[in-house]
Every structure is written in structure tokens, then in C-alpha cells.
Amino acid sequence: MKGERIYVEHPRDCSARMNALHHIYFDIAQDEYVNCLNVEATDTSGMHEGEKSELYRKATEHGIKAIVFSSMCVESAINNYAGTQLGDKYAQQHLDKLNVQSKWVVIPKLVCGRSIDKSGPAFNALGKLIKARNELVHNKSKELNPANPNLKTILEKSDQDFKIGFESSLKALYLLRMEMDYVLGQTHNPIGTMDPAFTWIDIPDQVKGIYDKCKALVLKKYS
């Protein structure tokens, strides 16, 4: 993120591959994150309850898409990296059944002896993202008792849990893209560098604050 080239030797410097969709998933996730923020920023002062409810539903829809496509992005990226550097057959036979977090630890270690810091902000955000993704993909409804005196607290906690997952989605993508520059170098960053010295990036105004905070965290960690 400082504009300085970091090179880590890999078995392969380039390859031709098909169906590598992580860059598209990233764009969709970022767009949906911004869409959610835009809906949440809507002035509801003149709306009736039905309109507010519909707005809440739309925000939730965008939030779900941001979480799901963020998780698809991180899994697609590390799978592509494994196939590129270790071979598709090896990756499928020996690595395919690892959970996503484990893949981000194990696969770079196998490739070049380096790995993500499990105590760092990127790995932490990744864990929250995967937890949120699993709760959505393996969704289970729960019985609700309207007479429960703790009903308000229960509903507020549910909203807060979703908010944590949503906020972790884009944060995980930014932090992984930034931290992996230092771990594996810009050339072999599985999810793609965000260093403007090596690529063109377009950060929407609505999420520049998140981007700047993530950048500050990573620069502090590797200063």
C-alpha cells in the first residue's frame, strides 16, 4: 500500500485460467454494500410504516447480497490461487474440503511458506464474514413469542448480529487485498492488490471511510 513492489517467489508467475470469477464477485459485493448504505440513508420522516418496512426489506436484501458475494469472492480467490500454484488436481484432492478460513492459512503456506496472520485484522474480519455467510446460507427460522418480555432485546440482537456481518463483508475484502500484498506480494495476491501504484482502483465515496480505516490498520501492522 506504500507503492513499493513486494515480490515473493512462487512456483508459477503466470497462468491462463478460466472461470476465475472473484473479481466480478468483488465488484458485486462492493456495489451491494453501497446500495445498502444508500437505502439506509433515505429520509423516512414523511413515510408511513408500510413504506418504512419496504425500505428496511430493501436494505436487508442489499446487505444479504453484500455478505454472500463477499464470501463467494474470498473463496473463489483462494481456490484460484491454489489451482494456479499447486495444480487443479492436487487442490481438488487435498484442499477442496478445507473450510475457507483454513484455506487462507494453509494454501499460501504450502505454496511459498508464508501465511496470513491469524491474530491480524484481515483474518478476524474473514471469520466474521464466514460466520455471517453460514447463518444466511444455512438459515433456520425460530419461533417467536410476542408475549416474551425480552422480545425487544431479542430482535435488537438479531439486527445487531446482521449488522456486524454486513460491516465485516467489505472490510474483509479490503483487509485481505491489502494484507496479502505484504504476505505474498502484489503479483501473487490471490484476491488482487489495491495498491494504486500497481492497479487502478475505484472506491465509491460512500465507503472511502472504510477503505481508509482498513489501509491505516494494515500500514500500522506492517510499518
Side-chain angles (χ1 to χ4, degrees):
M1 297 304 294
K2 296 179 179 179
E4 301 171 357
R5 184 173 186 263
I6 301 169
Y7 181 78
V8 177
E9 189 169 344
H10 276 61
R12 303 177 72 184
D13 275 337
C14 61
S15 68
R17 298 185 64 79
M18 59 183 289
N19 295 331
L21 300 175
H22 52 285
H23 294 299
I24 295 175
Y25 294 156
F26 174 87
D27 290 340
I28 296 173
Q30 183 174 250
D31 287 346
E32 290 299 332
Y33 195 101
V34 170
N35 289 338
C36 183
L37 294 183
N38 288 339
V39 172
E40 289 181 337
T42 303
D43 182 6
T44 61
S45 57
M47 294 184 178
H48 56 67
E49 291 305 313
E51 290 174 316
K52 292 179 182 178
S53 178
E54 177 61 18
L55 208 62
Y56 178 83
R57 190 199 68 79
K58 286 183 178 180
T60 302
E61 179 182 328
H62 290 308
I64 289 172
K65 290 177 182 178
I67 293 170
V68 172
F69 276 97
S70 292
S71 65
M72 290 168 66
C73 175
V74 297
E75 184 164 12
S76 172
I78 197 64
N79 286 343
N80 180 69
Y81 177 77
T84 299
Q85 298 298 333
L86 298 170
D88 293 324
K89 184 176 180 180
Y90 181 92
Q92 185 173 7
Q93 289 181 345
H94 303 291
L95 303 171
D96 208 38
K97 292 184 179 180
L98 292 175
N99 65 54
V100 177
Q101 268 191 294
S102 295
K103 286 182 178 182
W104 278 92
V105 175
V106 173
I107 292 172
K109 192 77 171 177
L110 288 172
V111 171
C112 63
R114 298 165 67 93
S115 190
I116 189 172
D117 180 3
K118 292 173 66 176
S119 65
F123 192 77
N124 179 55
L126 176 61
K128 292 178 180 178
L129 167 61
I130 299 305
K131 181 176 184 292
R133 175 264 181 199
N134 289 342
E135 289 176 353
L136 289 173
V137 174
H138 306 293
N139 174 254
K140 296 179 179 68
S141 63
K142 297 178 182 178
E143 187 170 348
L144 198 63
N145 179 8
N148 189 334
N150 298 317
L151 180 60
K152 182 179 179 182
T153 301
I154 293 171
L155 294 176
E156 287 176 348
K157 184 181 184 305
S158 177
D159 285 344
Q160 183 61 26
D161 288 345
F162 182 81
K163 183 178 180 181
I164 290 172
F166 169 68
E167 291 178 347
S168 297
S169 63
L170 192 61
K171 188 183 296 183
L173 298 186
Y174 285 172
L175 287 170
L176 277 172
R177 292 186 70 173
M178 294 173 184
E179 184 165 334
M180 296 314 287
D181 275 1
Y182 291 92
V183 179
L184 302 175
Q186 294 94 347
T187 300
H188 299 294
N189 187 329
I191 200 167
T193 182
M194 294 193 86
D195 192 328
F198 299 93
T199 190
W200 181 82
I201 60 169
D202 181 23
I203 306 299
D205 291 339
Q206 297 93 327
V207 293
K208 280 184 178 176
I210 299 172
Y211 172 85
D212 289 340
K213 288 180 181 178
C214 290
K215 182 177 179 180
L217 279 173
V218 174
L219 288 176
K220 181 179 179 181
K221 178 176 176 58
Y222 289 97
S223 60

